[in-house]
């Protein structure tokens, strides 16, 4: 790999792992659509590749790029964010171990830990990550992982990564940071002491709502070997076209995150001014309880905004169905703006649990369209309910 460590973020995004192809000169990393590789005599591998579950050059390019973006020594790409989550938990936990998780964790992460790992004897405790004493109190002698998201989904709570790394490490546990909402451009958890960074590359990293993927980044050689073992041994790997789409998306990550942040700031301020809006949750607003920590550890505040409306669930559902530019859909992080009702959509599986979300909450993924158009669309939807 070309050493791109001293380059700026955008340079790494465009060049890390992506040298021109040595045999053809192809400037763009080819889609290596092959399951297997010819050997020159038994064991005589030409490029280090033997079978595409184990390794594929397009995937390797993506992995080298992701490692460079997070400032980590290693990255492993998976078929989805959940595939990466599953591999991380299996590498870090055994039956009888315990995990601390956010009390507003991504719904799928909660479901996996509760419904799948629970059956195999891994226990968990949900806590409010902004309350460091509560995190300390939740840690037990068998706690192996403190699993955090920041900003969280969908309530955009902020956790202090450097502080929680100290708390986890002093208890002999590892800190895993799901960095999906911030993206590697806005936040660098490894530099703040995290052991592992997880991405659903489906979101901002890919950025175009056209591919599902996940990744684990670490500077710990042993952990990376465990992740690599599971990548090959359990097989949740992305195909070469998925790896290529993700790599293509990454090239504009810095530009996109800047524009997402510009537009989200504009939208958050406009929502605050609308009489039907009760509260606006955006870490960039000075009154957000996590604003100071976010300002310390994030470059900017990202593209996710949540808000509540007067009139409860009924009104929230109506707003979601009346926007024209904001498409009513799950997911986030693409160039196009999306709107959703977490209680009935992404977080329906948390109903009745500690992780249940407010019924009047709306979450928007602010895209990179013209900011004024996005504001006007939300205002007309709110005016009409
Ligand atoms: C989407 C998401 C995941 C899961 O990723 P998939 O690619 O959908 O499997 C995990 N964490 C967060 C914060 C997410 O938004």
């Amino acid at each position: 790999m070309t050493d791109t460590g001293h380059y700026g973020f955008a340079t790494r995004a465009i060049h890390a792992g992506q040298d021109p192809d040595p045999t053809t000169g192809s400037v763009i990393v080819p889609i290596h659509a092959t399951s297997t590789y010819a050997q020159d005599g038994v064991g005589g591998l030409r490029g280090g590749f033997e079978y595409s579950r184990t390794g594929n050059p397009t995937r390797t390019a993506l992995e080298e790029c992701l490692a460079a973006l997070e400032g980590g020594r290693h990255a492993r790409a998976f078929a989805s964010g959940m595939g990466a989550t599953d591999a991380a938990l299996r590498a870090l936990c055994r039956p009888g171990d315990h995990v601390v998780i956010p009390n507003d964790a991504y719904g799928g992460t909660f479901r996996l830990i509760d419904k799948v790992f629970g059956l195999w004897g891994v226990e968990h405790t949900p806590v409010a990550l902004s309350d460091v004493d509560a995190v300390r109190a939740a840690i037990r002698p068998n706690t192996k992982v403190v699993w955090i998201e920041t900003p969280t989904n969908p309530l955009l709570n902020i956790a202090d990564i450097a502080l929680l790394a100290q708390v986890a490490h002093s208890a002999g546990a590892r800190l895993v940071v799901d960095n999906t909402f911030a993206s590697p451009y806005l936040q660098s958890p490894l530099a703040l002491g995290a052991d592992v960074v997880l991405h659903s590359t489906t979101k901002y990293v890919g950025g175009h709502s056209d591919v599902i993927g996940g990744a684990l980044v670490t500077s710990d050689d042993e952990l990376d070997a465990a992740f690599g073992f599971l990548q090959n041994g359990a097989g949740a790997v992305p195909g070469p076209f998925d790896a290529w789409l993700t790599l293509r998306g990454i090239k504009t990550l810095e530009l996109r995150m800047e524009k997402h942040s510009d537009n989200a700031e504009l939208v958050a301020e406009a929502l605050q001014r609308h009489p039907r809006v009760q509260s606006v949750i955006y870490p960039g607003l000075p009154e957000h309880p996590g604003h100071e920590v976010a300002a310390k550890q994030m470059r900017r505040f990202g593209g996710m905004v949540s808000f509540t409306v007067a009139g409860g669930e009924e009104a929230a559902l109506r707003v979601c169905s009346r926007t024209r530019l904001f498409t009513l859909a799950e997911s986030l992080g693409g160039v196009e703006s999306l709107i959703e009702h977490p209680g009935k959509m992404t977080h329906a599986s948390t109903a009745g649990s500690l992780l249940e979300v407010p019924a009047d909450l709306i979450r928007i993924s602010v895209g990179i369209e013209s900011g004024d158009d996005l504001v006007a669309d939300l205002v007309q939807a709110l005016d009409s309910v």
Side-chain angles (χ1 to χ4, degrees):
M1 173 190 177
T2 313
D3 179 17
T4 55
H6 57 290
Y7 286 122
F9 186 90
T11 308
R12 281 177 275 148
I14 292 166
H15 294 286
Q18 302 167 78
D19 286 341
D21 186 63
T23 49
T24 63
S26 168
V27 166
I28 295 302
V29 172
I31 302 168
H32 288 274
T34 186
S35 59
T36 190
Y37 305 82
Q39 304 190 9
D40 296 320
V42 175
L45 306 182
R46 294 178 193 176
F49 296 97
E50 56 189 17
Y51 184 62
S52 279
R53 169 158 41 73
T54 322
N56 174 284
T58 315
R59 189 173 100 206
T60 299
L62 171 62
E63 291 173 338
E64 290 183 359
C65 186
L66 286 167
L69 294 186
E70 285 288 359
R73 285 166 54 80
H74 314 281
R76 300 280 177 176
F78 289 85
S80 66
M82 292 321 303
T85 303
D86 180 63
L89 288 166
R90 278 196 275 171
L92 293 165
C93 299
R94 297 289 172 269
D97 289 343
H98 173 254
V99 182
V100 174
I101 61 168
N103 67 356
D104 57 348
Y106 174 71
T109 304
F110 173 65
R111 186 176 52 202
L112 180 68
I113 290 174
D114 185 40
K115 298 273 193 300
V116 180
F117 280 87
L119 290 181
W120 296 97
V122 175
E123 303 173 320
H124 66 274
T125 306
V127 290
L129 298 177
S130 49
D131 181 350
V132 179
D133 291 332
V135 176
R136 271 198 200 95
I139 291 179
R140 305 178 190 168
N142 59 339
T143 303
K144 291 290 157 56
V145 177
V146 175
W147 186 283
I148 75 170
E149 291 174 34
T150 183
T152 60
N153 176 23
L155 293 172
L156 306 175
N157 287 314
I158 301 295
D160 188 325
I161 298 172
L163 193 57
L164 291 177
Q166 283 173 16
V167 169
H169 293 160
S170 66
R174 305 284 202 157
L175 185 77
V176 180
V177 179
D178 181 336
N179 205 24
T180 300
F181 266 44
S183 87
Y185 177 64
L186 295 181
Q187 183 167 274
S188 304
L190 296 177
L192 297 167
D195 299 286
V196 180
V197 171
L198 177 135
H199 279 286
S200 167
T201 56
T202 310
K203 314 295 169 50
Y204 287 108
V205 171
H208 295 73
S209 306
D210 52 10
V211 60
I212 298 282
L216 295 173
V217 189
T218 184
S219 289
D220 182 310
D221 296 348
E222 275 176 37
L223 274 184
D224 177 66
F227 298 155
F229 180 82
L230 286 166
Q231 216 182 16
N232 183 47
V237 291
F241 184 54
D242 289 359
W244 185 88
L245 276 174
T246 308
L247 206 47
R248 177 178 163 120
I250 283 174
K251 290 178 194 287
T252 54
L253 184 58
E254 173 168 330
L255 289 172
R256 287 187 286 109
M257 292 318 294
E258 287 289 344
K259 179 77 173 177
H260 281 297
S261 301
D262 287 346
N263 281 352
E265 280 169 21
L266 210 64
V267 161
E269 283 162 19
L271 287 172
Q272 278 189 313
R273 289 192 298 268
H274 199 282
R276 288 240 161 69
V277 173
Q278 282 186 323
S279 61
V280 180
I281 309 171
Y282 184 61
L285 295 172
E287 58 269 35
H288 186 289
H291 177 70
E292 266 178 46
V293 175
K296 184 180 71 173
Q297 67 191 17
M298 297 177 79
R299 211 193 277 255
R300 293 191 65 188
F301 303 100
M304 298 303 296
V305 179
S306 293
F307 61 102
T308 59
V309 288
E313 181 174 286
E314 294 282 289
L317 293 174
R318 277 201 299 274
V319 173
C320 290
S321 62
R322 290 190 185 169
T323 51
R324 293 167 191 151
L325 281 175
F326 281 81
T327 302
L328 178 59
E330 299 196 358
S331 199
L332 59 116
V335 293
E336 67 291 314
S337 293
L338 302 178
I339 189 165
E340 71 120 359
H341 184 267
K344 286 255 183 282
M345 296 171 64
T346 49
H347 288 63
S349 67
T350 64
S353 78
L354 269 177
L355 287 80
E356 189 170 317
V357 294
D360 57 356
L361 186 76
I362 295 171
R363 185 191 81 181
I364 53 179
S365 172
V366 182
I368 63 170
E369 299 96 333
S370 306
D372 293 345
D373 292 336
L374 298 181
V375 168
D377 188 38
L378 289 169
V379 168
Q380 69 75 29
L382 284 161
D383 285 347
S384 78
V385 297

